[in-house]
């Protein structure tokens, strides 16, 4: 596992996949091997295969918040929003302090046009860290757009210096 993790971190995803396939044959009941194999496949753009491997990890050990969050986001990529929401909600229940679990649940709820519930998820994250930028930004967007609208464009780049200056000036209304 250690070698495969090093390969993943260095961007050698195909080599990591090969290493993890061999590991999974030797240790088929180790959920970590299946999770990392899913991560290697996802890094190669093989989302459906990644999800299948991570689901195998959850079959072996269902109460893994990190794997639940990862599978929730993979489901979102694959447009399996309800399945993703179930996983994100389970991650929130297992790790209520995990800001990213609340963010994932909120994002999926917004996609499902359940804006009020999404706002509650962002508020749960902000209750744990009142200044956490991702939750502040998502909450602000959800409040401005309303529960049934989607953003008209996708943001491709951000001037973080400008954002930092606005944050330092306490100008959250502009963000």
């Amino acid at each position: 596992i250690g070698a495969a993790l090093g390969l993943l971190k260095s961007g050698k995803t195909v080599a990591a996949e090969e290493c993890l396939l061999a590991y999974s044959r030797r240790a088929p009941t180790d959920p970590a091997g299946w999770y990392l194999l899913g991560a290697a496949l996802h890094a190669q753009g093989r989302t459906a295969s990644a999800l299948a491997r991570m689901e195998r990890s959850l079959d072996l050990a269902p109460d893994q918040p990190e794997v639940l969050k990862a599978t929730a986001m993979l489901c979102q990529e694959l447009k399996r929003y309800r399945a993703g929401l179930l996983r994100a909600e389970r991650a929130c229940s297992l790790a209520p302090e995990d800001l990213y679990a609340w963010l994932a649940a909120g994002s999926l709820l917004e996609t499902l046009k359940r804006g009020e519930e999404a706002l509650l998820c962002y508020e749960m994250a902000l209750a744990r860290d009142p200044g956490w930028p991702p939750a502040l930004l998502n909450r602000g967007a959800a409040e401005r757009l309303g529960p049934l609208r989607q953003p008209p464009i996708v943001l491709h780049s951000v001037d973080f210096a400008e954002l930092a200056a606005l944050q330092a000036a306490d100008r959250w209304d502009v963000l």
Side-chain angles (χ1 to χ4, degrees):
I1 293 267
L5 193 53
L7 290 167
L8 271 175
K9 287 181 179 179
S10 67
K12 299 177 182 173
T13 59
V14 173
E17 176 190 359
E18 292 168 1
C19 183
L20 288 161
L21 283 170
Y23 178 78
S24 294
R25 284 191 290 275
R26 289 191 312 275
T29 59
D30 183 357
W34 292 106
Y35 169 68
L36 290 174
L37 179 55
L41 293 167
H42 185 247
Q44 296 173 44
R46 297 164 57 195
T47 306
S49 295
L51 179 60
R53 296 330 179 272
M54 288 188 189
E55 285 178 336
R56 176 68 181 130
S57 178
L58 289 172
D59 289 343
L60 295 166
D63 293 340
Q64 303 176 76
E66 290 300 317
V67 182
L68 286 162
K69 282 188 310 190
T71 58
M73 299 318 296
L74 293 175
C75 284
Q76 188 164 25
E77 284 182 39
L78 294 168
K79 300 184 182 343
R80 298 178 189 168
Y81 305 120
R82 285 181 180 75
L85 179 58
L86 291 173
R87 289 163 175 82
E89 288 174 334
R90 180 77 178 133
C92 290
S93 71
L94 290 170
E97 73 289 345
D98 189 325
L99 302 177
Y100 285 99
W102 292 108
L103 189 68
S107 175
L108 285 154
L109 284 162
E110 275 192 84
T111 302
L112 290 167
K113 310 270 191 259
R114 293 165 57 183
E116 293 302 317
E117 293 170 88
L119 285 171
L120 290 174
C121 288
Y122 302 140
E123 291 298 331
M124 293 298 288
L126 291 169
R128 286 146 178 82
D129 184 349
W132 194 49
L136 288 168
L137 292 170
N138 280 24
R139 180 187 66 184
E143 287 171 342
R144 278 193 301 277
L145 295 172
L148 299 178
R149 290 184 52 204
Q150 294 296 316
I153 62 170
V154 175
L155 183 64
H156 292 285
S157 65
V158 174
D159 180 353
F160 287 102
E162 181 183 352
L163 286 177
L166 289 169
Q167 290 172 345
D170 201 26
R171 293 292 317 273
W172 294 101
D173 59 311
V174 178
L175 297 171

